[in-house]
């Protein structure tokens, strides 16, 4: 539940400004950025609030760097075998969370990309597909979020490594 010191102290802006200056000097553009995660901690409202604040700060950073895309992991139930979230609750939490980002995405001219996720049952060590690891589910999320935004503010980052972890065919997804 601790706050991230680099985000809280303001030191992050020194790093961002240094990176921005170096990128400008050498003609480098930022194509995408990955926000910190996990996006949601089922056991701690404080930890969830802190990480989501860091994600919001990451959108500001992304915009300041002229980076057009930020990858923000969807909220995933940590256990499919012993679910903490009720069926459909995960979808509602994701829609609520991503919708809350819309003003920042518009302000900083950034597209938020959801990513196909995997998870692991830590007792059995079994790895399984999690949120946005189903093509139809993913399309629904993106279409619903863009309809709420009234413009294209949401996209998708297809993580091939995540596909392979859960035994899915990249060709099918592509």
């Amino acid at each position: 539940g601790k706050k991230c010191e680099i985000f809280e102290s303001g030191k992050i802006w020194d790093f961002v400004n240094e990176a921005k200056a170096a990128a400008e000097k050498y003609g480098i553009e930022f194509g995408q950025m990955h926000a910190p995660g996990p996006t949601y901690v089922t056991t701690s409202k404080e930890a969830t609030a802190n990480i989501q604040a860091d994600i919001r700060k990451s959108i500001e950073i992304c915009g300041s760097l002229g980076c057009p895309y930020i990858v923000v992991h969807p909220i995933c139930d940590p256990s499919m075998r012993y679910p903490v979230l009720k069926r459909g609750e995960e979808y509602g939490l994701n829609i609520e969370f991503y919708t809350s980002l819309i003003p920042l995405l518009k302000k900083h001219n950034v597209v938020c990309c959801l990513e196909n996720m995997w998870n692991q049952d830590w007792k059995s060590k079994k790895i399984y597909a999690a949120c946005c690891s189903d093509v139809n589910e993913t399309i629904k999320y993106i279409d619903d979020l863009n309809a709420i935004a009234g413009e294209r503010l949401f996209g998708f980052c297809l993580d091939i490594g995540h596909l392979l972890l859960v035994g899915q065919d990249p060709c099918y997804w592509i």
Side-chain angles (χ1 to χ4, degrees), residues 46-62:
E46 181 185 2
T48 296
N50 289 340
I51 194 70
Q52 289 183 3
D54 292 346
I55 290 168
R56 286 178 173 78
K57 181 71 73 176
S58 296
I59 293 169
E60 292 179 51
I61 292 166
C62 197

Side-chain angles (χ1 to χ4, degrees), residues 75-131:
I75 293 168
C76 293
D77 194 323
S79 174
M80 296 287 280
R81 179 177 275 182
Y82 307 107
V84 176
L85 301 174
K86 293 178 184 154
R87 189 156 178 78
E89 191 177 7
E90 185 177 78
Y91 175 82
L93 287 170
N94 274 306
I95 294 298
E96 180 182 347
F97 171 64
Y98 284 118
T99 297
S100 76
L101 301 179
I102 290 172
L104 271 175
L105 295 169
K106 287 182 178 186
K107 179 179 179 182
H108 296 287
N109 197 30
V110 173
V111 171
C112 179
C113 298
L114 288 69
E115 184 174 348
N116 53 308
M117 299 303 296
W118 64 278
N119 220 325
Q120 182 172 7
D121 181 314
W122 296 105
K123 289 181 183 177
S124 70
K125 304 295 184 207
K126 181 180 177 182
I127 293 174
Y128 56 87
C131 190

